[in-house]
Amino acid sequence: MEWENFFSNIGFWYNVFIEWYISAPIYGQVFALIGLITLLALAITLLFYVIKGIAYLVYYTFKGVYYLLKYIGYGFYKLTEGFYFLVSGKSKPSKQEGSHTNVQNTTINQYNYILEYCSECGRKISF
């Protein structure tokens, strides 16, 4: 389709609409104007929600792919770490060994007998 023909076709239908609009009674013109504004508002609202939906779809797709790759990498890391400790014969360091290195005994005199508590966790220390 040629562009000149396309624009002349639009111009023709625009002129037909203007002739119809002017020949309509005043209440018909008001209702037509209200209808056009309503259709324009609905079209803009629909366009907004379609674009918003596409943006959410793209965002959550990328977020899901990111988490998928992140945890695949984390699983691969844990697998190779376990394989390393298995092959090397070293024991895996536990988290509890390093956490109690700074523990100090705290003594509290209470009612003529001594209680000892851990300064980190507050538990009573048994001997």
Side-chain angles (χ1 to χ4, degrees):
M1 179 178 225
E2 298 176 12
W3 287 106
E4 296 170 2
N5 191 12
F6 177 74
F7 288 122
S8 68
N9 198 7
I10 289 178
F12 171 75
W13 286 107
Y14 175 75
N15 288 334
V16 169
F17 173 75
I18 293 299
E19 288 176 13
W20 170 82
Y21 185 74
I22 291 178
S23 67
I26 190 70
Y27 60 86
Q29 292 177 1
V30 170
F31 284 144
L33 187 62
I34 291 172
L36 285 175
I37 292 172
T38 304
L39 287 175
L40 183 64
L42 287 173
I44 290 171
T45 305
L46 179 68
L47 183 67
F48 169 75
Y49 282 110
V50 166
I51 291 172
K52 183 179 177 182
I54 291 170
Y56 272 123
L57 178 68
V58 168
Y59 171 74
Y60 284 112
T61 301
F62 283 140
K63 186 176 179 180
V65 168
Y66 166 73
Y67 280 130
L68 181 68
L69 294 176
K70 177 182 174 182
Y71 287 112
I72 286 173
Y74 182 70
F76 183 72
Y77 166 74
K78 292 305 258 181
L79 185 67
T80 55
E81 181 186 35
F83 186 69
Y84 167 76
F85 285 119
L86 181 68
V87 170
S88 68
K90 296 180 182 178
S91 62
K92 187 174 180 181
S94 67
K95 293 180 182 178
Q96 292 184 356
E97 289 176 7
S99 66
H100 290 292
T101 57
N102 296 330
V103 175
Q104 300 172 356
N105 289 336
T106 305
T107 58
I108 299 173
N109 289 328
Q110 184 180 26
Y111 304 111
N112 295 331
Y113 57 92
I114 296 174
L115 297 175
E116 295 190 12
Y117 294 94
C118 175
S119 63
E120 289 281 321
C121 63
R123 291 188 202 166
K124 194 176 197 180
I125 298 174
S126 60
F127 292 101

